[in-house]
Amino acid sequence: MPKPIYILNGPNLNRLGVREPEIYGHTTLAEVEALCREAAGPLPLEFRQTNSEETMIGWIHEATDTGAGMIINPAAFTFYSMAIMDALKMFDKPLIEYHISNIHTREPMYHNSLVSGVATAVMAGLGAGGYAHAVRALMDMIGPEA
Ligand code: CA2
């Protein structure tokens, strides 16, 4: 049985497609999950969202013990959570930090990610549909023995 890919989403992303469509588009998180499952094919996928830092840290630990790789959109945790950064440091498989918007063309408070320094790769600005590109990139990084 192959190990699963974890796709973890942080605070407020459950509102995707509902609020601020000019920044985040009209695609809902349920639709993002469907795109990711299509891209992953038969590979098992754990797709989750939480507004809780404690829950997110628990999921990162779980992924460290059982996952083949991870895509994380830490949302606001990106910019202030040293606890999430420390948990991700222990994740020793391919790790993609994903942002729907290009955080570097936004206000300065969105420019300094604590996660980028511990991620294998960073993707930003490809929209909600870009999660599927991240899944394909992660599968390439993991290789055939996933
Ligand atoms: O662009 C991204 O994916 C972000 O991670 C989204 C975060 C923001 O703090 C990051 O800078 C960039 C915000 C997530 C808020 O999610 C919403 C979704 C729909 C409507 C309103 C907020």
Side-chain angles (χ1 to χ4, degrees), residues 10-21 23-25 73-79 98-103 106 109-110 124-125 131:
N12 298 306
L13 286 164
N14 53 319
R15 307 293 286 165
L16 199 64
V18 183
R19 305 296 292 268
E20 297 188 71
I23 301 175
Y24 301 110
N73 184 343
F77 295 148
T78 309
F79 310 104
Y98 192 85
H99 297 283
I100 296 164
S101 61
N102 181 350
I103 54 176
R106 299 185 64 189
M109 63 189 173
Y110 292 112
Y131 274 80

Side-chain angles (χ1 to χ4, degrees), residues 83-95:
I84 284 180
M85 182 192 73
D86 283 341
L88 289 171
K89 267 187 195 166
M90 293 185 267
F91 187 74
D92 57 357
K93 320 270 173 33
L95 169 64

Side-chain angles (χ1 to χ4, degrees), residues 111-133:
H111 292 179
N112 188 25
S113 167
L114 296 177
V115 174
S116 297
V118 299
T120 317
V122 181
M123 296 173 75
L126 294 169
Y131 274 80
H133 294 307

